[in-house]
């Protein structure tokens, strides 16, 4: 008896290889060429996965235009099929793919712009966690000697983006905030992406604040992180950095010295 | 040791001052720095699984797209053309070359 | 959370993200909503909170599109665990999946792909359904697929295959009349043959949707299950005939592409309700 494994393997292999002849084993009621019908499946796979990518990377797609995006997505899909049936998880590999994709090399900002869009989707679906409020944090002012060694835990939705390109302005210009023509593409920009309540925020950051947050995210205590940031830029605004985190619900745990992250 | 101790003490005071100020800042003071927001929140971020089929037998899936060699025939032609230097830094030349194919 | 039992002749629509706000605010005249399980498997966030609010007002049907029940590989245990968590949280009235495969060799193809119907695939599908029902602790409704090719290796027809799966596993069936019509046209058969083969007691839900039309290599009609158009008249006819044969069942209007305003989908669901009411009256008179 013919076992189904080889049939399914042949079917799967043929889905992404339209240039190869269809394997045997198919039949049509009217004797027509089964490869014409098989193309429905080939289309479904590529078109549905391209649509999923287009949904998650709308500004990336707007920048390059629909025909380029669709063709690039076609190449990506062939090399990177989803590893799970949850399509919101699909697309992690697209920014690196774009960076290595020769036809997109002229758009140096595109991989980081795609990273920003991916961070937004991940933020939307990230775990819920109660953020610490100003009231929660106020008691720590009573014991300032413990502040320098304090470590913070960020909200699970947060991603820090540090780019050599103006990805935040470019993204914002596609949301009706500023003109695309006015974006200085070569200006380095950074952002914190996180979910604040039900809204995903893209918070532009000065480079020194981005360095501060990166150090904190890596487990560096507050005092040392502040010194790293000041070394980056003497005008590092510690108040602004802390206020941004607190008021956008970015901190979920505040661990004074001696209490290391579990 | 003495020096690092001195730095830490200064930092403790500076941190306390900064944290104290940050805690008293209203939400409006923070929001004022220009968070960028999406126009139609949420829809673009939604789950993407459905059970719709694609558009028939004759589009993307049934022809091979190759970006190796000379087979590539697409040019980035979206809003990137509105930017100050559409293909910088590596290439107006590159855009022209791809357009030529 | 209370479990709300829908009326016997219930109508619903697939819940789309663009309608969520309106559904929460306006509470349309529908009996239930159906969602795709895989869209609610994130760790947290607004999507799950919105679904919780909708579940407080409406019964839910959860429809999986990624379990690959017809696949030759063992079921994805992690995915089954995620489904169990989701069903526990939302307590839907029904859980359904497809007679199809979508994963192979660790890759997910995001399409409902066909399998041959023979004793070997029958045994495997039944094993998979046993495993699903055991893990989830509830009955699964298995949906008939739209198919575009058939296999030399098939020895059973689809209706007979589904009937045998239902008998062996005790699972229910989700009869998608659009799929039944599409597959019948695509394979030169009478759609009634596969419907008449189904055990009436097993059928627990109907799906209705729209298709697109293409041509195969011989120039014959090839229908594509796009979920991108209103329900076709031929499918409404098949639905009405099926209602008189099987009796009323909860019925869902599916639309996944070219999604119209909520009111259009509600109106289409109300058409289904009229058919359900007519069929119930006809059956009572008969």
């Amino acid at each position: 008896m013919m076992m189904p494994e080889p049939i399914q393997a042949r079917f799967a292999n043929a889905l992404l290889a339209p240039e190869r002849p269809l394997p045997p084993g198919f039949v049509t009621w009217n004797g027509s060429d089964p490869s014409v019908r098989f193309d429905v499946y080939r289309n479904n796979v590529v078109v549905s996965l391209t649509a999923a990518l287009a949904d998650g990377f709308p500004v990336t797609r707007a920048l390059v235009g629909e025909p380029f995006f669709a063709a690039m997505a076609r190449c990506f899909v062939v090399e990177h099929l989803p590893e799970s049936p949850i399509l919101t998880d699909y697309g992690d590999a697209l920014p690196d793919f774009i960076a290595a994709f020769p036809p997109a090399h002229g758009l140096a900002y595109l991989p980081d712009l795609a990273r920003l869009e991916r961070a937004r989707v991940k933020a939307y679906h990230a775990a819920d966690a109660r953020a610490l409020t100003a009231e929660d944090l106020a008691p720590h002012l009573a014991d300032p000697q413990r502040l320098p060694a304090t470590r913070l835990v960020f909200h699970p939705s947060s991603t820090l983006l540090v780019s050599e390109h103006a990805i935040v302005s470019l993204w914002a210009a596609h949301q009706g905030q500023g003109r695309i023509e006015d974006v200085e593409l070569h200006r380095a920009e950074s952002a914190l992406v996180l979910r604040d309540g039900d809204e995903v925020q893209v918070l532009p950051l000065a480079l020194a604040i981005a360095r501060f947050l990166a150090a904190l995210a890596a487990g560096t205590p507050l005092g040392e992180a502040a010194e790293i940031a000041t070394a980056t830029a003497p005008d590092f605004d510690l108040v602004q950095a802390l206020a941004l985190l607190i008021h956008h619900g970015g901190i979920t745990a505040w661990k004074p010295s001696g209490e290391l992250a579990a | 040791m003495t020096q690092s101790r001195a730095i830490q003490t200064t930092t403790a005071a500076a941190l306390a001052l900064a944290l104290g100020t940050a805690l008293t800042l209203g939400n409006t003071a923070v929001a004022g720095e220009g968070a960028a927001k999406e126009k139609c929140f949420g829809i673009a971020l939604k789950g993407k699984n459905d059970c719709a089929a694609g558009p028939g037998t004759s589009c993307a899936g049934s022809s091979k797209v190759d970006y190796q060699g000379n087979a590539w025939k697409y040019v980035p032609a979206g809003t990137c053309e509105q930017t100050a230097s559409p293909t910088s830094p590596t290439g107006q030349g590159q855009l022209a070359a791809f357009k030529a194919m | 959370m209370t479990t709300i039992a829908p009326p016997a002749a219930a109508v619903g629509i697939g819940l789309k993200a663009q309608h969520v706000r309106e559904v929460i605010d306006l509470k349309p005249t529908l009996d239930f909503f159906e969602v795709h399980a895989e869209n609610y498997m994130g760790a947290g966030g607004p999507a799950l909170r919105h679904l919780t609010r909708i579940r407080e007002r409406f019964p839910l049907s959860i429809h999986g599109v990624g379990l690959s029940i017809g696949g030759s590989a063992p079921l994805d245990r992690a995915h089954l665990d995620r489904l169990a968590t989701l069903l526990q949280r939302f307590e839907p009235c029904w859980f359904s999946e497809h007679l199809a495969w979508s994963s192979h060799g660790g890759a997910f193809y995001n399409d409902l792909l066909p399998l041959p119907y023979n004793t070997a695939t029958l045994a495997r599908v039944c094993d998979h359904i046993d495993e699903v029902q055991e893990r989830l602790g509830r009955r699964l409704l298995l949906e008939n697929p739209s198919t575009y090719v058939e296999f030399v290796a098939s020895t059973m027809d689809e209706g007979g295959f589904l009937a045998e799966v239902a008998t062996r596993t005790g699972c229910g069936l989700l009869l998608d009349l659009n799929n039944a019509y599409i597959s019948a046209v695509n394979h030169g058969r009478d759609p009634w043959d596969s419907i008449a083969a189904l055990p009436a007691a097993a059928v627990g839900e109907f799906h209705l949707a729209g298709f697109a039309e293409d041509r195969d290599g011989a120039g014959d009609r090839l229908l594509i299950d796009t979920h991108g158009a209103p329900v076709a008249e031929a499918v409404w006819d098949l639905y009405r005939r099926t209602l008189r044969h099987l009796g009323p069942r909860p019925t869902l209007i599916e639309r996944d592409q070219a999604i119209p305003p909520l009111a259009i989908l509600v109106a289409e669901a109300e058409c289904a309700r009229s058919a359900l009411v007519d069929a119930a009256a006809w059956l009572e008179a008969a």
Side-chain angles (χ1 to χ4, degrees), chain B residues 51-72:
Chain B
C51 41
T57 60
S58 55
C59 50
S62 26
S63 61
K64 186 174 162 64
V65 175
D66 194 353
Y67 63 93
Q68 318 288 351
N70 291 328
W72 187 259

Side-chain angles (χ1 to χ4, degrees), chain A residues 39 43-44 52 55 62-64 71 74-75 79 85 87 103 105-108 120 125 174-175 177 198 202 204 227 244 247, chain B residues 7 22 25 27 33 36-38 41 44-46 49 54 56-61 63 67 72 77-80 86-88 90:
Chain A
D39 281 348
N43 269 325
N44 285 349
D55 271 1
L63 278 161
V64 299
R74 170 84 173 84
C75 298
E79 292 179 30
L87 288 183
H105 278 176
L107 308 178
R120 296 186 71 254
H125 297 276
H174 285 80
Q175 317 306 318
Q177 294 163 27
D198 273 1
V202 178
E227 285 167 32
L244 179 93
H247 292 290
Chain B
I7 288 171
L25 280 182
N27 279 324
E33 106 251 2
K37 289 185 180 173
E38 180 199 8
F41 169 72
L45 304 171
K46 71 186 193 295
N49 286 88
T57 60
S58 55
C59 50
S63 61
Y67 63 93
W72 187 259
T79 53
C80 67
T87 61
S88 66
T90 54

Side-chain angles (χ1 to χ4, degrees), chain A residues 1 4-5 7-9 11-12 15 25-27 29-30 32 34 36-38 40-41 44-45 48-49 81-87 124-128 195 197-198, chain C residues 38 41 43-46 49 66 70-72 79 82 101 103-104 107-111 113-114 116 119 124 147-153 186-188 216 218 220 224:
Chain A
M1 180 189 301
E5 283 88 350
I7 291 180
Q8 194 171 300
F11 197 112
L15 281 170
F26 298 106
V27 63
W29 69 281
N30 56 3
S32 68
V36 174
R37 289 154 167 269
F38 195 82
V40 175
Y41 294 110
N44 285 349
V45 172
S48 71
L49 290 174
L81 280 168
E83 292 168 8
S84 107
I86 306 166
L87 288 183
Y124 189 75
H125 297 276
D128 296 306
R195 194 177 74 234
D198 273 1
Chain C
E38 286 73 11
M41 289 183 171
R49 272 195 291 283
S72 57
H79 198 61
R82 288 189 288 261
W101 60 278
S103 296
H104 181 82
F108 175 66
Y109 288 87
N110 196 35
D111 193 21
L113 301 164
T119 52
R124 186 180 336 266
T147 60
Y148 310 104
V149 294
E150 292 186 300
F151 296 89
V152 175
N186 288 349
H187 307 307
D216 74 359
D220 284 317
I224 319 265

